């Protein structure tokens, strides 16, 4: 095989890797955008005008760049508590649904026993 063909194959492999990396980057950006949108909705701020939301985020950016801001730790604590409660609620729902499903199964099994008796 000629050197030119070997070089072309290497270029094709690199091109494929670059395309895959770009697709992965795009997917990560999309995922981050979805996560941020979900965060805005969880905070019940979906109704806020984009200019207001952007202004608040820009002020947040300034606040974060200030190393001695007590607000950051307060915000972190509030956010952490929100997510903790959210996880606990999801866990409770899951356990409740599991119990309901088990009860429904037991009811169906009882009905089957009574029908076949």
């Amino acid at each position: 095989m000629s050197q030119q063909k070997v070089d072309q194959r290497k270029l094709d492999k690199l091109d494929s890797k670059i395309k895959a990396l770009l697709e992965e980057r795009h997917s990560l950006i999309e995922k981050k955008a979805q996560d941020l949108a979900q965060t805005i909705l969880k905070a019940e701020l979906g109704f806020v005008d984009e200019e207001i939301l952007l202004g608040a985020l820009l002020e947040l950016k300034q606040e974060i760049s200030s190393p001695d801001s007590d607000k950051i730790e307060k915000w972190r604590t509030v956010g952490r508590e929100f997510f903790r409660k959210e996880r606990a609620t999801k866990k409770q729902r899951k356990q409740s649904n599991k119990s309901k499903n088990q009860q429904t199964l037991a009811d169906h099994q009882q009905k089957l026993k009574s029908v076949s008796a």
Side-chain angles (χ1 to χ4, degrees), residues 36-48 53 82:
L36 290 171
Q38 285 291 31
T39 300
I40 289 168
L41 295 175
K42 285 178 184 181
E44 299 179 3
L45 293 173
F47 68 92
V48 175
L53 189 57
F82 177 90

Side-chain angles (χ1 to χ4, degrees), residues 84-99:
R84 188 195 62 74
K85 286 179 181 178
E86 183 182 55
R87 284 190 301 274
T89 301
K90 284 181 182 178
K91 186 176 181 180
Q92 280 181 328
R93 278 193 209 126
K94 189 176 180 180
Q95 289 173 341
S96 176
N97 288 340
K98 185 178 179 181
S99 295

Side-chain angles (χ1 to χ4, degrees), residues 99-112:
S99 295
K100 287 177 186 177
N101 291 341
Q102 288 173 342
Q103 184 60 46
T104 302
L105 179 60
D107 291 346
H108 287 306
Q109 288 173 339
Q110 186 64 34
K111 286 179 186 178
L112 285 174

Side-chain angles (χ1 to χ4, degrees), residues 65-95:
S65 65
S66 173
D68 57 346
S69 176
D70 293 333
K71 288 181 184 178
I72 295 169
E73 279 309 309
K74 179 184 174 194
W75 293 335
R76 180 176 282 122
T77 302
V78 170
R80 187 177 293 136
E81 183 63 18
F82 177 90
F83 284 123
R84 188 195 62 74
K85 286 179 181 178
E86 183 182 55
R87 284 190 301 274
T89 301
K90 284 181 182 178
K91 186 176 181 180
Q92 280 181 328
R93 278 193 209 126
K94 189 176 180 180
Q95 289 173 341

Side-chain angles (χ1 to χ4, degrees), residues 42-68:
K42 285 178 184 181
E44 299 179 3
L45 293 173
F47 68 92
V48 175
D49 180 89
E50 287 181 9
E51 291 173 349
I52 294 170
L53 189 57
L54 180 59
L57 291 171
L58 290 171
E59 283 190 21
L60 171 65
K61 181 181 174 183
Q62 285 178 336
E63 194 71 38
I64 288 173
S65 65
S66 173
D68 57 346

